[in-house]
């Protein structure tokens, strides 16, 4: 009886709290950070919209397994669209807003919010702001992030959470690479910067750095959409690393 009462109370609280839809693009993430990301974020979200961009492993099955019990829209692209990233991001946005979300939490499969997000979740989303900004740290290992001339994303705050308003005008940075996760028009929304941080593990393994370096050499050989020197620095043998502190 007591357990049933507790479950009812939890359901009531869930109905009252701001509603978050996790929006994510995944591709061959089964052996990377997807499990950690979904297990971390699951308690904080109410729905998920995931674009599986041509995975050839068990990524889609992992999404279904780890998000069981949470409403999930899983779109499986038979062929990857990543060579035209803006088209992929538009697809992600359209599939997400089709669910009529309240708040959209846009994270990649190798990005993980720090635990204080769960503590501050409802307070952060209860104000008048329509975009919530955090700092992102490019992890160069499991325990350290990179900081130098070419790698200082964590110095700036960027949008990860946006309150959706039906009829929002959406403009995009129309580039095939580095187009941004949200429409650029969200930059006009009232926003607030908050303490939770995002750990980006996309660079944390040597094999991932090599893969990304080769990808940029293939998709953006003339650095039309990125920073040539930064591309070249990806494989630096002794980058400047700073130990992560919780």
């Amino acid at each position: 009886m007591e357990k049933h009462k507790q479950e009812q109370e939890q359901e009531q609280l869930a109905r009252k709290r701001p509603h978050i839809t996790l929006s994510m693009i995944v591709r061959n993430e089964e052996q990377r950070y997807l499990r950690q990301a979904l297990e971390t974020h699951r308690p904080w979200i109410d729905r998920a919209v995931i674009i599986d961009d041509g995975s050839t492993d068990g990524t889609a099955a992992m999404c279904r397994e780890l998000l069981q019990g949470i409403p999930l829209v899983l779109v499986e692209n038979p062929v990857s669209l990543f060579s035209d990233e803006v088209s992929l991001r538009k697809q992600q946005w359209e599939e997400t807003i089709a669910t009529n979300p309240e708040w959209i939490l846009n994270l990649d499969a190798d990005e993980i919010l720090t635990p204080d997000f769960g503590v501050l979740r409802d307070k952060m989303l209860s104000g008048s702001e329509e975009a919530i900004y955090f700092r992102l740290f490019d992890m160069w290992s499991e325990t350290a992030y990179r900081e130098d001339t070419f790698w200082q994303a964590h110095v700036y705050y960027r949008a990860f959470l946006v309150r959706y308003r039906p009829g929002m005008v959406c403009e995009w940075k129309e580039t095939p690479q580095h187009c941004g996760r949200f429409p650029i028009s969200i930059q006009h929304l009232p926003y607030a910067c908050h303490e939770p941080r995002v750990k980006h593990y996309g660079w944390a393994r040597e094999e991932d750095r090599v893969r990304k370096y080769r990808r940029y050499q293939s998709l953006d050989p003339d650095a039309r959409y990125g920073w040539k020197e930064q591309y070249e620095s990806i494989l630096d043998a002794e980058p400047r690393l700073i130990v992560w502190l919780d």
Side-chain angles (χ1 to χ4, degrees):
M1 193 72 175
E2 183 63 27
K3 181 180 179 181
H4 180 65
K5 182 180 179 181
Q6 290 176 350
E7 290 175 348
Q8 286 183 323
E9 291 175 350
Q10 290 173 354
E11 289 178 2
Q12 290 174 353
L13 289 173
R15 285 195 294 269
K16 292 178 181 178
R17 72 180 188 174
H19 189 283
I20 292 180
T21 296
L22 173 66
S23 182
M24 182 178 284
I25 295 172
V26 298
R27 184 170 188 267
N28 291 337
E29 307 289 350
E30 184 180 18
Q31 301 300 323
R32 300 185 66 244
Y33 297 96
L34 180 61
R35 178 174 294 277
Q36 183 181 353
L38 293 182
E39 288 180 344
T40 298
H41 302 137
R42 179 187 165 101
W44 306 330
I45 66 172
D46 304 284
R47 181 185 297 275
V49 177
I50 297 180
I51 307 296
D52 186 324
D53 190 44
S55 290
T56 56
D57 63 0
T59 292
M62 180 176 285
C63 291
R64 294 188 182 96
E65 171 200 344
L66 296 177
L67 294 175
Q68 187 174 6
I70 292 177
L72 169 64
V73 175
L74 179 61
V75 180
E76 298 182 62
N77 292 341
V79 178
S80 174
L81 298 177
F82 193 75
S83 60
D84 183 17
E85 185 185 0
V86 68
S87 294
L88 184 58
R89 290 298 188 181
K90 287 179 180 179
Q91 179 191 23
Q92 178 191 15
W93 176 259
E94 292 299 327
E95 292 288 352
T96 302
I97 65 173
T99 66
N100 193 30
E102 181 181 358
W103 285 92
I104 300 172
L105 172 62
N106 193 325
L107 292 170
D108 289 343
D110 52 18
E111 295 175 341
I112 299 176
L113 276 160
T114 50
D116 51 341
F117 177 85
V119 177
L120 300 172
R121 178 197 190 279
D122 295 353
K123 184 178 180 180
M124 284 189 296
L125 305 184
S126 62
S128 59
E129 297 84 10
E130 298 187 10
I132 304 297
Y133 286 49
F134 305 126
R135 290 187 297 157
L136 177 142
F137 290 73
D138 286 313
M139 305 299 293
W140 230 253
S141 73
E142 296 288 335
T143 58
Y145 60 92
R146 182 167 177 175
E147 180 180 271
D148 54 34
T149 301
F150 306 114
W151 300 89
Q152 45 184 298
H154 53 280
V155 174
Y156 310 97
Y157 286 83
R158 64 190 69 200
F160 285 93
L161 265 163
V162 168
R163 190 197 304 268
Y164 176 64
R165 300 295 192 192
M168 286 176 65
V169 176
C170 295
E171 299 176 7
W172 290 85
K173 183 181 179 183
E174 297 285 347
T175 58
Q177 296 294 306
H178 308 301
C179 64
R181 70 185 71 215
F182 282 120
I184 57 176
S185 43
I186 65 103
Q187 297 172 5
H188 302 296
L189 298 176
Y191 70 93
C193 299
H194 286 279
E195 292 183 6
R197 296 166 290 171
V198 177
K199 300 172 80 171
H200 176 214
Y201 286 101
W203 308 98
R205 300 173 183 171
E206 183 178 3
E207 60 265 32
D208 286 335
R209 295 193 290 272
V210 171
R211 178 176 52 83
K212 284 197 173 188
Y213 174 80
R214 291 174 177 169
R215 185 174 75 195
Y216 291 140
Q217 292 301 307
S218 172
L219 298 179
D220 191 17
D222 300 319
R224 294 178 59 194
Y225 313 112
W227 184 8
K228 184 178 187 333
E229 290 77 11
Q230 186 187 47
Y231 286 167
E232 293 174 347
S233 75
I234 291 173
L235 301 182
D236 284 354
E238 296 183 0
R240 181 173 182 265
L241 303 183
I242 297 179
V243 174
W244 175 269
L245 297 177
D246 288 319

